[in-house]
Amino acid sequence: MAVMTTIAAGTALMGMYASWQAAEAAKKSGYATGEEYDRLARETLLTAKFNIDRDKGKIFEVSAGIAEKGTDKTAFIKRQGAFVKGKTEATVGASGVKSGSGTAAQQVIQTGLNTASNIMQNFREIQMAQSNLKSAGEDKMESEWMQAKQQSNKYKRMADMAREGGDVAQFAGMMGGFTKGVGTFNSLGGFKGSESWFSGKKETS
């Protein structure tokens, strides 16, 4: 009977060891999955930051382009204003009206006012275009960052759940292995042999 008990104990222990290895593997798998989700959480934020920095650069370039076009348009308006002013002065001179007279002076002044008004209108258009560009860009970048943070937090929660799942799987596996080991030990007559050994009884043929 002692031999039976030894066999039962050995078989049970081997089964429990196998269950322990499986439980450890389940934990490692859960933790490895958690690490992967942690990596995704970090990369999600890094990718969003990269995209936002890139968008800032694009906005700066477009804004600079708007300013450059506006400057070119302002120069054109000035040239056009100077041309109109010169033409007005020539027309007034050809008509025989003195350039210093009220009507002639008003025409020349009005030409200058029109030019100044056009320059100011162009300046306002530049500011509006740059403001709209900045506002739309900031809204887009803020939305992208918020979505990235939400996704990153989701990955972090999934990482925690994966690690918790690994711990639970390990505990369940070890408990299951213990229970199975006890069952194996009992089914092979381990407990019966132990009782005989402790009571000092010998097996009779």
Side-chain angles (χ1 to χ4, degrees):
M1 185 62 70
V3 174
M4 296 265 319
T5 302
T6 302
I7 294 174
T11 304
L13 287 173
M14 285 190 294
M16 291 172 68
Y17 179 72
S19 297
W20 177 80
Q21 286 186 314
E24 283 295 307
K27 180 179 179 178
K28 289 181 180 179
S29 177
Y31 273 63
T33 301
E35 286 296 321
E36 179 65 16
Y37 282 129
D38 282 336
R39 183 186 65 80
L40 290 174
R42 292 191 298 270
E43 290 186 354
T44 297
L45 294 181
L46 289 174
T47 300
K49 187 177 184 303
F50 173 82
N51 291 339
I52 289 171
D53 288 341
R54 181 192 59 192
D55 290 343
K56 285 180 179 179
K58 289 182 179 179
I59 291 173
F60 178 81
E61 291 178 2
V62 174
S63 181
I66 292 173
E68 184 178 357
K69 289 181 180 179
T71 300
D72 292 341
K73 186 175 180 180
T74 296
F76 173 78
I77 292 172
K78 288 180 178 179
R79 290 195 300 270
Q80 188 179 43
F83 173 77
V84 173
K85 180 182 178 183
K87 187 175 181 181
T88 300
E89 290 175 342
T91 301
V92 170
S95 66
V97 179
K98 293 182 179 180
S99 59
S101 66
T103 301
Q106 287 178 358
Q107 290 179 350
V108 173
I109 291 173
Q110 186 60 48
T111 299
L113 290 175
N114 290 340
T115 300
S117 177
N118 290 336
I119 291 174
M120 183 57 65
Q121 177 62 30
N122 180 55
F123 178 72
R124 284 195 292 266
E125 289 175 356
I126 293 172
Q127 284 190 316
M128 181 63 70
Q130 289 178 324
S131 177
N132 290 339
L133 174 68
K134 181 181 178 183
S135 178
E138 287 177 346
D139 289 344
K140 178 180 179 296
M141 288 184 288
E142 182 179 1
S143 176
E144 182 171 359
W145 182 247
M146 290 300 296
Q147 290 179 3
K149 285 183 67 176
Q150 291 175 356
Q151 185 62 44
S152 179
N153 290 335
K154 180 180 178 181
Y155 282 138
K156 288 180 181 178
R157 290 193 297 271
M158 293 173 71
D160 291 339
M161 291 175 62
R163 280 187 283 267
E164 289 174 2
D167 289 336
V168 171
Q170 180 195 36
F171 179 76
M174 292 180 70
M175 291 302 296
F178 177 77
T179 303
K180 183 178 179 181
V182 171
T184 300
F185 184 74
N186 183 52
S187 65
L188 293 177
F191 285 116
K192 183 178 179 181
S194 297
E195 290 173 1
S196 299
W197 186 82
F198 280 114
S199 63
K201 295 179 179 180
K202 295 183 179 180
E203 183 180 4
T204 58
S205 55

